[in-house]
C-alpha cells in the first residue's frame, strides 16, 4: 500500500481519539433580557477561564491531556428557552457538566427534566431555590454555587446582624417581586427580622412594574426606617429613583442587586447598604488575582471592565471552572460524575474567592458589605462567613 494511503488510514484512526480529548461544559444563563444581571457576568467569566486553561495547554487527567469546549446559549431568563437549551446540551451535545441557572424561576422549570439524569450530570447553579433540593433524594446532580442567606454562616444573617448593630433598626419595609425569587426572599427575611425583634412590612409587585409610587407611599406610611427592595436591577433602578423623588425612602438595605442604583441616585440617598460578594474597585488595588482577572477581561473583550456586575462572578463564573478541572484531576476521570462531584464539594479553592462547600453542597464564601452615603461616599468592610 502506498505510503500516502497509509498516512490517510492512520489519520482516520487517530481522529476519534483526538476528539475524545475535548471535555464539553455547558451553561444555561440569561445573557440578555431584564434579568441578565444574574447571567451576564457568568457568561463573560466562563470564556475567560476556558481560554486561560486551553492556552496553558489544557489539563492532564490520568496521563491524558484535555481541553475544554464551552457551549453557552442565551436563555434570556426564559424558563421555556432554558428547558430547550438544557435538553440540547444533555441529549444532543452529551454535556455532563452544566453551570447555572441563577434564576429560581428557571431552575424550578428545568428541575424535573434534570432530575431524570441524576448521577449522570452535574448542575452547578446559584439559584435560591436550589437550596431547597440539596441533600434530598434524586438530587445528587445539584451543587449550589452561591452562599445561603440564613443560618449562622448565612450572608443574610450576618448582614442583618451588621445592620442592627450599626443602625439600631426597629422597623423595615420589604418590596419584593411577586415571583419565585421574591417569595423566597420574603420567607427568609421576614422570619429573620422578626426573630431579631424587628417589625416588617411586606408588599409585592408584579414583574414588569414600572410605576411604584402607590406602593411606596403605602409602605412609607408604615414608618419603616429602611426599604428592603426587589432583587433585580431592572426593578431597583425605578424603585430607588421613585423612592427618593417622592420622598418615600432615602435609606436602603439590599442583599440582592448591585450598587448601580445608588450610584445613579447618589445625591438623593442617605444610606445604601448592599451585600457584595466582592467590591472589585477596592480589591483590584490590593489583590493581584483580582488585578490579573480584570486585565485579562479587558484584553479578551477589548472593553472596560463591568465593575457593577463583576461581584456576581462569585457564582458559576470563573473560579468554578478551575475547580471543576481540579476535581477531574483528583478524581482521575473527566466523565465519572460521582467521583468528580465528591472531589469538588470536598475541596477548598483559593481563587478570586476562597470557596468551599458545606455538607449539603452549598457554597461558602466571604463577602463585602458596601455602604454608600449621600454624595457617593463609599465605605467597605469584609465579613468572615466561616
Amino acid at each position: 500500500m502506498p505510503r500516502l494511503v497509509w498516512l490517510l488510514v492512520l489519520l482516520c484512526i487517530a481522529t476519534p481519539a483526538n476528539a475524545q480529548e475535548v471535555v464539553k461544559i455547558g451553561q444555561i444563563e440569561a445573557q440578555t433580557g431584564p434579568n441578565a444581571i444574574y447571567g451576564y457576568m457568568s457568561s463573560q467569566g466562563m470564556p475567560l477561564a476556558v481560554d486561560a486553561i486551553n492556552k496553558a495547554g489544557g489539563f492532564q487527567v490520568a496521563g491524558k491531556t484535555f481541553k475544554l469546549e464551552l457551549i453557552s446559549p442565551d436563555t434570556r431568563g426564559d424558563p421555556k428557552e432554558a428547558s430547550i437549551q438544557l435538553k440540547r446540551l444533555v441529549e444532543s451535545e452529551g454535556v455532563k457538566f452544566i453551570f447555572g441557572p441563577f434564576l429560581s424561576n428557571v431552575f424550578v422549570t428545568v428541575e424535573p427534566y434534570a432530575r431524570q439524569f441524576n448521577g449522570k450530570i452535574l448542575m452547578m447553579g446559584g439559584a435560591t431555590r436550589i437550596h431547597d433540593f440539596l441533600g434530598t433524594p434524586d438530587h445528587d446532580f445539584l451543587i449550589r454555587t452561591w452562599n445561603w442567606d440564613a443560618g449562622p454562616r448565612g450572608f443574610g444573617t450576618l448582614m442583618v446582624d451588621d445592620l442592627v448593630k450599626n443602625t439600631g433598626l426597629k422597623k423595615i419595609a420589604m418590596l419584593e417581586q411577586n415571583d419565585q425569587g421574591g417569595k423566597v426572599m420574603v420567607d427568609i427575611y421576614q422570619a429573620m427580622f422578626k426573630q431579631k425583634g424587628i417589625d416588617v412590612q411586606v408588599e409585592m409587585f408584579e414583574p414588569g412594574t414600572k410605576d411604584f409610587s402607590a406602593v411606596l407611599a403605602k409602605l412609607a406610611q408604615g414608618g419603616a426606617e429602611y426599604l428592603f427592595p426587589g432583587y433585580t436591577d431592572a426593578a431597583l433602578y425605578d424603585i430607588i429613583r421613585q423612592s427618593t423623588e417622592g420622598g418615600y425612602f432615602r435609606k436602603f438595605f439590599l442583599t440582592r442587586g448591585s450598587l448601580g442604583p445608588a450610584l445613579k441616585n447618589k445625591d438623593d440617598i442617605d444610606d445604601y447598604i448592599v451585600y457584595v460578594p466582592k467590591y472589585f474597585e477596592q480589591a483590584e488595588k490590593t489583590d493581584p488575582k483580582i488585578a490579573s482577572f480584570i486585565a485579562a477581561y479587558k484584553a479578551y473583550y477589548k472593553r472596560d471592565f463591568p465593575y457593577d456586575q463583576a461581584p456576581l462572578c462569585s457564582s458559576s463564573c470563573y473560579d468554578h471552572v478551575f475547580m471543576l478541572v481540579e476535581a477531574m484531576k483528583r478524581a482521575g476521570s473527566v466523565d465519572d460524575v460521582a467521583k468528580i462531584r465528591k472531589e469538588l464539594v470536598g475541596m477548598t479553592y483559593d481563587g478570586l474567592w476562597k470557596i468551599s462547600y458545606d455538607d449539603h453542597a452549598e457554597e461558602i464564601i466571604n463577602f463585602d458589605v458596601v455602604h454608600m452615603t449621600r454624595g457617593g461616599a463609599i465605605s467597605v468592610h469584609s465579613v468572615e462567613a466561616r
Side-chain angles (χ1 to χ4, degrees):
M1 185 178 294
R3 183 177 180 184
L4 179 60
V5 176
W6 271 111
L7 289 174
L8 290 172
V9 171
L10 290 173
L11 180 62
C12 291
I13 295 173
T15 299
N18 291 335
Q20 293 175 4
E21 294 176 1
V22 173
V23 177
K24 292 182 179 181
I25 60 175
Q27 184 181 50
I28 51 168
E29 295 287 17
Q31 299 173 32
T32 59
N35 291 321
I37 185 175
Y38 290 111
Y40 174 82
M41 199 59 210
S42 294
S43 67
Q44 297 288 292
M46 285 192 68
L48 283 179
V50 171
D51 185 62
I53 291 167
N54 288 346
K55 278 185 175 178
F59 58 100
Q60 285 201 341
V61 174
K64 190 173 183 179
T65 301
F66 295 86
K67 289 191 174 183
L68 296 174
E69 178 185 342
L70 173 62
I71 305 172
S72 181
D74 180 11
T75 69
R76 304 187 305 278
D78 180 357
K80 291 182 179 179
E81 179 65 21
S83 298
I84 293 170
Q85 297 298 345
L86 179 60
K87 182 179 177 68
R88 180 174 74 85
L89 287 172
V90 174
E91 297 186 27
S92 298
E93 298 289 350
V95 175
K96 295 178 179 289
F97 306 97
I98 298 128
F99 292 87
F102 202 114
L103 295 171
S104 286
N105 63 330
V106 171
F107 170 71
V108 296
T109 301
V110 303
E111 182 273 332
Y113 171 80
R115 192 194 326 143
Q116 300 176 63
F117 298 90
N118 188 49
K120 298 178 181 179
I121 65 170
L122 197 58
M123 180 176 284
M124 298 159 279
T128 301
R129 283 300 307 276
I130 291 178
H131 172 85
D132 299 332
F133 293 85
L134 293 175
T136 64
D138 300 322
H139 288 88
D140 293 332
F141 68 93
L142 284 177
I143 290 177
R144 186 165 186 260
T145 56
W146 190 261
N147 47 343
W148 185 235
D149 300 70
R153 296 183 294 186
F155 71 91
T157 299
L158 297 172
M159 276 202 69
V160 170
D161 287 345
D162 202 57
L163 178 68
V164 173
K165 177 183 176 181
N166 293 323
T167 68
L169 178 71
K170 298 297 182 183
K171 187 169 187 176
I172 194 165
M174 291 188 69
L175 178 57
E176 292 295 334
Q177 188 162 296
N178 188 22
D179 62 7
Q180 287 283 346
K183 291 174 183 176
V184 170
M185 289 284 287
V186 171
D187 288 345
I188 294 171
Y189 285 94
Q190 189 172 38
M192 190 183 297
F193 282 120
K194 287 183 177 180
Q195 287 173 0
K196 298 179 187 300
I198 299 169
D199 190 17
V200 187
Q201 184 180 0
V202 178
E203 293 289 341
M204 309 293 286
F205 65 88
E206 293 305 313
T209 298
K210 293 297 182 182
D211 185 357
F212 297 90
S213 54
V215 69
L216 287 169
K218 181 179 179 180
L219 287 170
Q221 290 175 357
E225 301 149 74
Y226 279 78
L227 177 65
F228 187 179
Y231 67 88
T232 70
D233 272 20
L236 284 170
Y237 277 97
D238 289 327
I239 293 172
I240 303 303
R241 177 180 57 80
Q242 292 174 32
S243 292
T244 56
E245 287 180 351
Y248 303 120
F249 292 95
R250 297 190 184 278
K251 296 182 178 181
F252 306 92
F253 172 79
L254 297 86
T255 59
R256 302 290 195 282
S258 74
L259 195 62
L263 291 167
K264 192 79 171 178
N265 300 274
K266 64 182 181 181
D267 295 324
D268 298 309
I269 63 168
D270 289 335
D271 284 301
Y272 189 97
I273 301 170
V274 59
Y275 161 80
V276 177
K278 190 179 295 294
Y279 187 54
F280 273 75
E281 291 89 332
Q282 176 176 288
E284 180 182 15
K285 301 172 184 177
T286 58
D287 188 338
K289 292 179 182 177
I290 300 298
S292 178
F293 174 71
I294 292 174
Y297 182 98
K298 291 178 178 179
Y300 187 88
Y301 290 107
K302 295 179 174 54
R303 59 172 176 261
D304 289 338
F305 186 71
Y307 289 94
D308 60 333
Q309 298 189 43
L312 292 173
C313 212
S314 61
S315 176
S316 306
C317 178
Y318 186 77
D319 284 344
H320 301 83
V321 179
F322 291 95
M323 292 179 73
L324 177 62
V325 166
E326 180 60 27
M328 289 176 175
K329 292 177 181 178
R330 296 184 184 187
S333 172
V334 297
D335 54 16
D336 189 324
V337 173
K339 284 185 178 180
I340 293 168
R341 183 186 189 276
K342 181 179 178 181
E343 295 295 340
L344 190 58
V345 299
M347 75 169 66
T348 296
Y349 183 81
D350 194 359
L352 302 185
W353 284 265
K354 191 171 185 179
I355 300 175
S356 59
Y357 291 94
D358 66 15
D359 294 339
H360 296 288
E362 191 158 43
E363 184 168 287
I364 302 171
I365 60 170
N366 297 348
F367 61 90
D368 292 337
V369 178
V370 180
H371 183 194
M372 178 182 285
T373 54
R374 185 178 292 269
I378 291 176
S379 61
V380 183
H381 66 275
S382 298
V383 176
E384 174 67 45
R386 288 171 175 77

